[in-house]
Amino acid sequence: MLTNIRLLTLAIAALYLMPAMAHDSHVHKAPWQACEQKQKSQQCSYHNGAGDLFKGTCQLFSKVLMCARNQPIIYADKLAKQAKQKIIDKASHKSSN
C-alpha cells in the first residue's frame, strides 16, 4: 500500500514537471538578442544551438524584450532539405535555359 502511494506521488510530480521541461531550452541568449534592436510586438526570429529556427514577436519579460515563439518550430533538417531543394531547382532552371 505504501509503495503504491509513493508511485502515485512520483507520477503526479512527474506530470507537474513536464510543462517546465518544455521551456528548458532557453539557456542561450538568442531569444533576447533577436529583439535587441526591435520594439515590442515586432516580428523576430532566431536559431537555437541545433540550428532550428524559431519565429515569433518581441515581448516584454521582466522589463527585457525577448523573442517569444508564436509559430511552429522549423527544424534544422527541414531547413537543410529546403536549401538543398532551392539549389537543385536553381541548377535545373539554368540547365533548361
Side-chain angles (χ1 to χ4, degrees):
M1 173 90 171
L2 190 57
T3 304
N4 289 342
I5 292 172
R6 286 181 183 165
L7 287 175
L8 182 60
T9 304
L10 183 60
I12 291 171
L15 288 173
Y16 279 103
L17 290 175
M18 288 176 114
M21 295 166 85
H23 295 282
D24 69 346
S25 63
H26 289 302
V27 295
H28 51 85
K29 297 178 182 178
W32 291 273
Q33 291 171 339
C35 292
E36 284 179 341
Q37 304 297 319
K38 298 188 183 244
Q39 295 179 6
K40 185 178 177 188
S41 300
Q42 279 189 293
Q43 291 188 346
C44 57
S45 64
Y46 64 93
H47 292 272
N48 67 2
D52 303 326
L53 178 61
F54 294 74
K55 292 182 176 182
T57 57
C58 295
Q59 298 299 321
L60 202 57
F61 293 98
S62 301
K63 300 180 184 180
V64 179
L65 284 176
M66 175 184 157
C67 188
R69 183 179 63 83
N70 61 11
Q71 297 178 34
I73 299 168
I74 302 172
Y75 293 98
D77 60 340
K78 185 176 180 181
L79 288 172
K81 287 177 188 174
Q82 289 172 348
K84 184 178 178 180
Q85 189 60 49
K86 282 183 184 179
I87 293 168
I88 291 168
D89 292 346
K90 193 174 184 179
S92 1
H93 180 68
K94 283 185 179 180
S95 65
S96 64
N97 287 336

